[in-house]
Amino acid sequence: MSFSSKVKEELSRQLSTARHCQIAEIAAIISLCGRIQISEHDRFCIKIHTENAAVARKYFTLLQKTFNINTDVSIRQGMEVRKSRVYTVGIRRHQDAIRVLRAVKLVDHTGEIEENLSLAQNVVIQQNCCRRAFIRGAFLAAGSISDPEKFYHFEIACATEAKAVQLQGLIRSFGLDARIVQRKKYFVAYIKEGSQIVDILNVMEAPVSLMELENIRILKEMRGSVNRQVNCETANIHKTVSAAVRQVEDITIIRDKIGFDSLPENLREIARLRLEKPEATLKELGEALEPPVGKSGVNHRLRKLGSLAEKLRNGRSATEA
């Protein structure tokens, strides 16, 4: 089971006790994956279609708990190879459909379909708890989360830009940075930062999935930190080894061309010590001198030897400037 399916399974079992929150969640599900059909005799019927059994079960349960009405459930197997099953939950009785549509504010008192997408005036989502429920229902109906082991991405696809803007506003009311992008015929409200996806799981009240994501994030951050440290240490070792090899080469040229006896005592001492300890760090070389010398002092002497070796490579005498 994918991580997204696990989240939906958990949310499908999370049922608000307050009727107003149940209505908000039903409103989101109908708004994002429902269809309202009107017969030639002005009889209303509501259907939601989903490929996720957990979503169909949650919608069925919400309708029973909130309105105590009967619903028709059907399952259709897709015709294409590996096509998912499609679950349809329908409210066929006109009076039941009208009750639900009026409760979720998708029809007005005259029976005209009118979806109120205002955040400020929509009574369905005025309370903070109802906003949580609406976002939860919207995710169940049309949302997905990527596998956090690979990358972080949370999204809810909306059929219209107005719905996406409404959903963006709801998510932002919890201090989260939701953005909108158009993808083919859909407008997608999405979040890409791992910490904010943790927060949106908290908003939707999915504690088990939240902890799983947090554990994955911690492990990924630890691995990243270790890798950065190893890379840094590897780079430093490579730099130290390369410098030591170059210094040994410089000192060897000086020894073979003019000998160490022509060098001042401080340079002669560090040259012999470097040849004896080619793997030693500058600090270790300085501590081995008598009296001990700091890293900057050792580096200064080795740079002088490097400059002298460069002159000898170019065929100039050691005394030339």
Side-chain angles (χ1 to χ4, degrees):
M1 183 183 289
S2 68
F3 183 73
S4 190
S5 296
K6 288 180 183 178
V7 175
K8 289 192 176 185
E9 183 66 32
E10 181 180 2
L11 293 177
S12 72
R13 301 183 187 282
Q14 206 288 337
L15 190 64
S16 300
T17 55
R19 188 172 187 272
H20 48 81
C21 290
Q22 295 170 3
I23 289 173
E25 195 163 351
I26 292 171
I29 294 172
I30 294 176
S31 180
L32 272 81
C33 70
R35 292 180 184 174
I36 302 171
Q37 298 176 343
I38 307 174
S39 71
E40 57 184 12
H41 302 296
D42 288 334
R43 310 296 287 178
F44 282 73
C45 172
I46 307 171
K47 290 183 179 180
I48 70 116
H49 303 279
T50 176
E51 294 181 1
N52 192 304
V55 177
R57 183 177 64 243
K58 179 67 175 290
Y59 180 60
F60 176 85
T61 304
L62 283 169
L63 289 174
Q64 279 200 327
K65 293 278 187 183
T66 312
F67 298 101
N68 192 27
I69 59 176
N70 294 321
T71 55
D72 296 328
V73 181
S74 62
I75 304 173
R76 178 172 54 85
Q77 183 68 44
M79 300 300 292
E80 299 177 17
V81 178
R82 295 182 180 178
K83 189 72 174 178
S84 301
R85 292 178 177 179
V86 177
Y87 301 86
T88 302
V89 182
I91 305 172
R92 296 189 180 277
R93 289 186 68 246
H94 172 73
Q95 292 303 323
D96 289 340
I98 287 294
R99 278 178 61 203
V100 173
L101 291 173
R102 284 178 177 167
V104 300
K105 306 304 179 186
L106 292 178
V107 295
D108 59 20
H109 64 282
T110 65
E112 292 294 321
I113 296 175
E114 184 182 60
E115 185 171 358
N116 180 4
L117 295 167
S118 167
L119 293 182
Q121 299 175 6
N122 194 331
V123 297
V124 173
I125 50 176
Q126 279 187 347
Q127 298 185 62
N128 197 51
C129 57
C130 294
R131 294 186 178 197
R132 289 175 181 270
F134 190 94
I135 294 170
R136 180 167 59 246
F139 176 77
L140 282 169
S144 66
I145 299 182
S146 64
D147 181 352
E149 290 280 8
K150 298 176 181 177
F151 58 93
Y152 301 122
H153 185 81
F154 169 97
E155 68 172 43
I156 300 174
C158 304
T160 66
E161 187 175 10
K163 287 182 181 179
V165 170
Q166 179 193 38
L167 197 54
Q168 180 189 43
L170 284 171
I171 294 172
R172 285 185 170 180
S173 71
F174 290 96
L176 303 176
D177 184 23
R179 301 184 182 185
I180 296 175
V181 64
Q182 186 172 2
R183 188 186 299 150
K184 295 182 180 178
K185 62 179 181 178
Y186 293 101
F187 293 87
V188 180
Y190 70 93
I191 299 172
K192 292 196 74 69
E193 194 170 325
S195 61
Q196 297 215 350
I197 294 176
V198 169
D199 291 338
I200 195 69
L201 288 174
N202 184 48
V203 167
M204 296 189 299
E205 298 176 294
V208 176
S209 299
L210 185 155
M211 289 306 299
E212 183 179 347
L213 177 55
E214 277 286 50
N215 288 336
I216 292 171
R217 286 183 65 233
I218 290 168
L219 287 174
K220 286 178 72 173
E221 288 177 6
M222 286 178 62
R223 285 197 295 265
S225 177
V226 170
N227 287 338
R228 285 191 296 272
Q229 187 173 352
V230 169
N231 291 338
C232 183
E233 289 178 356
T234 300
N236 287 338
I237 290 171
H238 179 73
K239 183 179 177 181
T240 300
V241 170
S242 298
V245 169
R246 186 179 66 253
Q247 292 158 7
V248 169
E249 289 176 352
D250 291 342
I251 292 168
T252 301
I253 287 176
I254 294 171
R255 181 195 62 190
D256 294 345
K257 292 209 171 186
I258 61 174
F260 290 159
D261 291 339
S262 62
L263 298 175
E265 183 179 353
N266 63 337
L267 296 186
R268 183 166 60 247
E269 188 179 15
I270 195 66
R272 286 174 173 161
L273 191 58
R274 172 49 90 190
L275 290 181
E276 291 173 8
K277 300 175 181 268
E279 75 291 342
T281 63
L282 297 183
K283 181 180 179 182
E284 291 169 342
L285 289 175
E287 291 173 348
L289 292 171
E290 188 59 42
V293 177
K295 285 172 60 177
S296 60
V298 173
N299 188 51
H300 178 70
R301 295 183 188 185
L302 289 171
R303 289 180 66 181
K304 278 193 171 184
L305 290 172
S307 178
L308 176 58
E310 191 62 29
K311 292 176 184 177
L312 295 173
R313 285 190 185 94
N314 294 331
R316 297 160 61 190
S317 70
T319 56
E320 287 183 80

